[in-house]
């Protein structure tokens, strides 16, 4: 079995190094290098420069089309998202601790579950804690599935088990790859 290839990426400037260094050689930041999986070159990928590199094009030459959106069932959240969620998109909800991110996500997940199955991954709270909050918020639905997990590989397995209307991870900063020694969320 091939050994997993990793690189060390500076969390301050994005510079990469083949091994861990105490200080980033690019920006000089101390203890900013974190181990990450190296992405193998994809078949058919183009080099960043040279004859096959991408070229800038005028914006008017790009076809414009509306993408269908799925309502979260929360009018203000839909407004912020430009009308709802776009299939295949990723939305990162951030903010200070205690402002209600988990509450908002659970309410949206329960309402999205009316359109089809939703996977809610809780990486910080137990399933019982999530259920108690859902009961208080009247945010339960038979198509809302809960998973308490912090291992990236197991979250991905659950995400691939079926076609989900949405997958909510609360919170991404606590998810870690078991294949790397880097900190959770990196």
């Amino acid at each position: 079995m091939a050994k997993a290839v990793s690189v060390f990426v500076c969390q301050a400037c994005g510079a990469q190094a083949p091994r861990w260094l105490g200080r980033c050689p690019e920006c000089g930041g101390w203890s900013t290098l974190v181990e990450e999986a190296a992405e193998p070159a994809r078949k058919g990928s183009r080099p960043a420069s040279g004859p096959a590199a991408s070229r800038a094009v005028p914006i008017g030459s790009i076809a414009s089309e509306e993408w269908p959106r799925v309502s979260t069932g929360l009018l203000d959240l839909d407004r912020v998202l430009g009308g709802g969620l776009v299939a295949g998109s990723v939305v990162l909800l951030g903010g200070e601790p205690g402002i209600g991110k988990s509450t908002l996500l659970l309410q949206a997940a329960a309402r999205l579950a009316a359109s089809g199955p939703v996977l809610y991954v809780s990486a910080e709270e137990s399933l019982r804690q999530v259920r108690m909050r859902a009961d208080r918020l009247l945010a339960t639905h038979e198509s809302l599935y809960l998973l308490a997990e912090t291992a990236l590989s197991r979250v991905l397995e659950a995400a691939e088990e079926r076609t989900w209307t949405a997958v909510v991870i609360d919170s991404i900063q606590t998810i870690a790859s078991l294949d790397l020694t880097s900190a959770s969320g990196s």
Side-chain angles (χ1 to χ4, degrees), residues 89-162:
S89 68
V90 175
V91 176
L92 179 63
L93 179 64
E96 295 295 320
I99 64 168
K101 297 178 298 293
S102 295
T103 298
L104 181 64
L105 289 172
L106 185 57
Q107 288 175 314
R111 293 186 182 189
L112 282 165
S115 300
V118 172
L119 176 62
Y120 185 99
V121 179
S122 175
E124 295 181 332
E125 298 178 310
S126 71
L127 296 181
R128 177 173 244 138
Q129 288 173 304
V130 176
R131 174 59 196 254
M132 289 184 344
R133 180 183 301 116
D135 287 343
R136 283 193 313 272
L137 299 170
L138 302 175
T140 59
H141 193 282
E142 61 198 26
S143 292
L144 178 59
Y145 292 76
L146 302 179
L147 172 67
E149 188 57 67
T150 59
L152 177 62
S153 60
R154 292 193 285 262
V155 170
L156 292 173
E157 285 174 11
E160 292 172 353
E161 283 178 3
R162 64 171 40 175

Side-chain angles (χ1 to χ4, degrees), residues 12-179:
C13 71
Q16 295 186 5
R19 60 183 172 81
W20 186 84
L21 302 170
R23 186 173 187 184
C24 174
E26 296 294 320
C27 70
W30 287 98
S31 300
T32 58
L33 293 172
V34 174
E35 186 177 19
E36 296 182 6
E39 292 186 27
R42 288 181 273 152
K43 188 176 182 179
S45 63
R46 296 183 293 188
S49 62
S54 298
R55 301 232 186 263
V57 296
I59 194 167
S61 70
I62 300 169
S64 175
E65 59 184 275
E66 279 292 315
W67 290 85
R69 295 180 181 267
V70 176
S71 173
T72 64
L74 302 172
L75 294 176
D76 288 336
L77 182 57
D78 285 346
R79 183 179 51 79
V80 169
L81 295 172
L85 295 170
V86 175
S89 68
V90 175
V91 176
L92 179 63
L93 179 64
E96 295 295 320
I99 64 168
K101 297 178 298 293
S102 295
T103 298
L104 181 64
L105 289 172
L106 185 57
Q107 288 175 314
R111 293 186 182 189
L112 282 165
S115 300
V118 172
L119 176 62
Y120 185 99
V121 179
S122 175
E124 295 181 332
E125 298 178 310
S126 71
L127 296 181
R128 177 173 244 138
Q129 288 173 304
V130 176
R131 174 59 196 254
M132 289 184 344
R133 180 183 301 116
D135 287 343
R136 283 193 313 272
L137 299 170
L138 302 175
T140 59
H141 193 282
E142 61 198 26
S143 292
L144 178 59
Y145 292 76
L146 302 179
L147 172 67
E149 188 57 67
T150 59
L152 177 62
S153 60
R154 292 193 285 262
V155 170
L156 292 173
E157 285 174 11
E160 292 172 353
E161 283 178 3
R162 64 171 40 175
T163 300
W164 301 100
T165 298
V167 176
V168 176
I169 300 176
D170 183 17
S171 116
I172 195 68
Q173 69 188 21
T174 54
I175 300 294
S177 172
L178 300 175
D179 298 329

